[in-house]
Amino acid sequence: MRTLRFEVLGKDEMNSLSQELSRAGIMNRTREEVRPDVAHYLLLRGTYTWLLERAGGIKPVEESLEELKAAFDDLLSYWEIGTEKRVEELFDESEHGKLTLVMALIESGAVVESEGKLILKEVPSLGSLELELRFPIDEVGEYLDAIEERFNAGMITEFTLGKHYYVDVMEVDRELVKGALRIAEEYATEESMVNATFEGIARSVLADVILEMAQKHRRKNELIEALMEREPIVVEGENERVNVYFDEDAVEDFLKELQTMGYLKLTSSPP
């Protein structure tokens, strides 16, 4: 069973989290890893009117077009013909709809660039703008058949090779696990926090069960056999339940980890 793993956004955060965990007496180690991130997108291209006519019942496309209309009205409420704007005056990084619109306006010739600024030359109708919409495949999975029937959809795959930073916590004691989760909350990504929370529950519960059963079963093979008979181990919460499943090889590795950490001492079964 792997250790609790927290992913952080950079090397400084990784080192800070590791140091804070160490000060709290929580065993940990840092890890850097270069790995690819692969994302697949469906690409829909056409005028706003053409896309709108075909979008009925396809919720992600309908919502995207509604957002674009709202963004179009907002954008032109403070951008007058003949005036120039810096990009940061028009939208920020989170406003993807406005970025899509500005790109469409540039492509149509309604906006031109001059000395690093954008100038609005005319206001075309939204319906005539040629747009390019992208949707992550997993967000439109249930609508794929309808999209294929109505749109000439393409696909884009983005492959990004990046460095990722982690802090692994090698603890099974419930209080130490809780402490690690509290400290990591300020540093770790949301996804890794969710995963680590459940992994921490699973590790500490399984460790508690093993240590309790080891008082009766001192030989490794006997303990493993007894554990397999209890699988899965169920943890009941107020409104949730966690089922801890494991196989024989994973249990054996976890026993070795507990022995290395000094929690457990077992004897080998006789040949």
Side-chain angles (χ1 to χ4, degrees):
M1 183 179 291
R2 81 172 199 178
T3 57
L4 272 69
R5 171 163 292 180
F6 299 102
E7 183 171 8
V8 296
L9 297 180
K11 191 166 188 174
D12 289 343
E13 291 86 349
M14 178 187 72
N15 291 332
S16 295
L17 174 56
S18 177
Q19 290 166 9
E20 194 165 341
L21 289 168
S22 296
R23 284 195 294 269
I26 298 170
M27 290 189 296
N28 69 90
R29 63 181 174 226
T30 59
R31 179 181 178 86
E32 300 178 26
E33 183 179 293
V34 175
R35 63 173 172 81
D37 291 318
V38 182
H40 304 285
Y41 299 90
L42 273 185
L43 178 66
L44 307 184
R45 187 174 178 85
T47 64
Y48 182 90
T49 296
W50 186 86
L51 293 167
L52 186 63
E53 288 172 348
R54 290 159 176 76
I58 305 177
K59 190 174 180 180
V61 181
E62 288 181 319
E63 290 178 346
S64 180
L65 292 172
E66 288 174 7
E67 290 171 6
L68 283 171
K69 184 179 186 311
F72 182 81
D73 293 339
D74 184 49
L75 185 67
L76 295 177
S77 69
Y78 55 83
W79 196 7
E80 298 179 354
I81 292 176
T83 60
E84 58 184 28
K85 298 279 187 181
R86 296 188 302 275
V87 170
E88 55 268 27
E89 293 180 84
L90 296 172
F91 56 87
D92 60 37
E93 293 180 359
S94 65
E95 296 179 296
H96 302 295
K98 287 183 179 178
L99 171 60
T100 298
L101 285 171
V102 169
M103 296 301 293
L105 289 168
I106 292 173
E107 189 173 320
S108 71
V111 169
V112 296
E113 184 178 359
S114 176
E115 298 181 353
K117 296 181 180 179
L118 300 176
I119 303 172
L120 182 64
K121 306 293 289 185
E122 59 179 294
V123 179
S125 68
L126 175 60
S128 67
L129 281 181
E130 189 82 16
L131 301 171
E132 187 174 281
L133 307 182
R134 300 200 317 175
F135 301 92
I137 290 287
D138 57 357
E139 290 184 9
V140 295
E142 64 182 290
Y143 304 101
L144 282 176
D145 289 342
I147 290 174
E148 289 179 4
E149 289 175 7
R150 304 182 201 177
F151 303 93
N152 183 25
M155 193 174 85
I156 297 175
T157 296
E158 294 185 348
F159 182 97
T160 305
L161 191 64
K163 197 162 189 178
H164 296 258
Y165 301 89
Y166 306 94
V167 177
D168 292 341
V169 170
M170 294 83 71
E171 297 288 1
V172 294
D173 179 272
R174 192 167 303 188
E175 292 306 312
L176 291 175
V177 168
K178 287 180 180 178
L181 291 168
R182 283 195 299 270
I183 293 170
E185 195 170 10
E186 296 183 18
Y187 298 92
T189 63
E190 183 177 352
E191 182 180 357
S192 71
M193 276 300 300
V194 172
N195 291 337
T197 297
F198 288 103
E199 287 171 7
I201 293 171
R203 279 174 61 85
S204 60
V205 166
L206 184 55
D208 287 346
V209 170
I210 287 173
L211 296 177
E212 178 187 344
M213 295 180 69
Q215 296 177 27
K216 179 180 178 181
H217 304 281
R218 303 305 302 170
R219 294 189 183 278
K220 184 178 72 172
N221 288 354
E222 292 175 3
L223 178 55
I224 291 175
E225 184 178 345
L227 283 165
M228 296 307 299
E229 290 176 358
R230 285 192 57 177
E231 189 256 1
I233 294 170
V234 180
V235 185
E236 296 279 0
E238 185 176 343
N239 296 308
E240 63 186 19
R241 182 176 69 186
V242 178
N243 295 334
V244 182
Y245 294 89
F246 43 86
D247 60 34
E248 196 168 319
D249 289 339
V251 166
E252 187 168 0
D253 285 349
F254 195 44
L255 293 179
K256 291 177 183 176
E257 184 180 342
L258 292 175
Q259 290 181 93
T260 300
M261 295 166 68
Y263 285 102
L264 186 64
K265 187 174 181 179
L266 295 172
T267 60
S268 299
S269 298

